[in-house]
Amino acid sequence: MAALVAVAIVIPPRTQIQQTASAQTADTAWTDFASTGPTHADARPNAAEREQRMLAESIAKRFRVARDAVSGVVTAAFRAGSEHRVDPLLVLAVVAVESRFNPFAESALGAVGLMQVLPKFHQDKLSGHGGDAALLDPVLNIEIGTRILREYLRRAGDLESGLQMYGGAVDEPSAQYAGRVLAERARLDQLIARLRRSDA
């Protein structure tokens, strides 16, 4: 069982990430998903919405992806984080490390989408969603990825070990995967802190 957990989610090298945007279901899901983000410049967001908007703008610039699409990712991460009691900034940090916010990323081992879920190890979570292709739906990918992350954090008992388990790097002594995720999370946290200071 431990061996299966260790390879459940992997970090694909950038050279192994492939675009699969030609899939019609993925195109439709991403178009619908991107439209859920804030699009009206004259809207008056509350503090939480403003923080999420600023996060989306920062992520879009850093990873060179469309802001409206990233807004949907941020919204989904906060929703899934709230539902599963996982820090949404940690969810976004995992997305950054796993796929660089590419919803169509696919590793050589078959890990799919924003959070690089390996479907063959998580069929129980995919039942009722239309099979493996459903992981190309960004909202569903974040939902399932966050559930997996929560399970691993609980099972491991601490943040670093849980992240190593998620990254399929349980036996890595230097915990590099966890370090990368936590560094990304720290960047996002610093951005939120700066925004809150400017509003004070």
Side-chain angles (χ1 to χ4, degrees):
M1 182 65 180
L4 290 179
V5 169
V7 297
I9 303 291
V10 297
I11 313 168
R14 290 184 190 176
T15 56
Q16 293 180 344
I17 290 181
Q18 306 167 349
Q19 289 285 352
T20 58
S22 58
Q24 184 176 1
T25 55
D27 285 340
T28 302
W30 185 246
T31 300
D32 293 344
F33 174 66
S35 68
T36 65
T39 56
H40 301 291
D42 59 348
R44 291 178 175 268
N46 60 33
E49 289 171 341
R50 184 162 181 260
E51 288 179 0
Q52 290 182 32
R53 179 176 292 179
M54 293 298 291
L55 278 173
E57 289 176 356
S58 176
I59 290 167
K61 288 178 183 177
R62 183 159 186 254
F63 292 94
R64 298 183 179 181
V65 291
R67 189 189 69 178
D68 286 348
V70 174
S71 293
V73 174
V74 171
T75 298
F78 273 79
R79 185 183 303 123
S82 176
E83 181 179 351
H84 298 292
R85 297 183 179 182
V86 176
D87 175 6
L89 296 185
L90 188 66
V91 174
L92 290 170
V94 169
V95 172
V97 170
E98 290 287 350
S99 67
R100 297 183 62 83
F101 291 88
N102 174 8
F104 307 118
E106 183 174 348
S107 77
L109 295 179
V112 178
L114 289 167
M115 295 188 74
Q116 288 292 277
V117 176
L118 200 56
K120 65 181 178 180
F121 291 115
H122 300 288
Q123 287 297 312
D124 59 318
K125 298 175 182 66
L126 288 169
S127 61
H129 293 293
D132 297 1
L135 287 172
L136 292 172
D137 175 343
V139 173
L140 183 62
N141 192 284
I142 289 175
E143 162 66 21
I144 291 176
T146 302
R147 285 175 60 191
I148 295 167
L149 179 59
R150 178 61 177 170
E151 288 176 8
Y152 289 176
L153 291 172
R154 285 177 174 172
R155 192 179 305 173
D158 67 87
L159 180 58
E160 182 179 281
S161 299
L163 288 172
Q164 287 295 109
M165 189 177 290
Y166 189 95
V170 175
D171 296 326
E172 183 206 350
S174 59
Q176 290 183 16
Y177 177 82
R180 290 170 61 198
V181 172
L182 293 175
E184 288 292 341
R185 195 226 172 272
R187 289 188 187 95
L188 297 174
D189 195 46
Q190 289 168 6
L191 177 65
I192 293 293
R194 286 197 301 270
L195 178 61
R196 289 175 179 171
R197 284 196 299 269
S198 69
D199 287 343

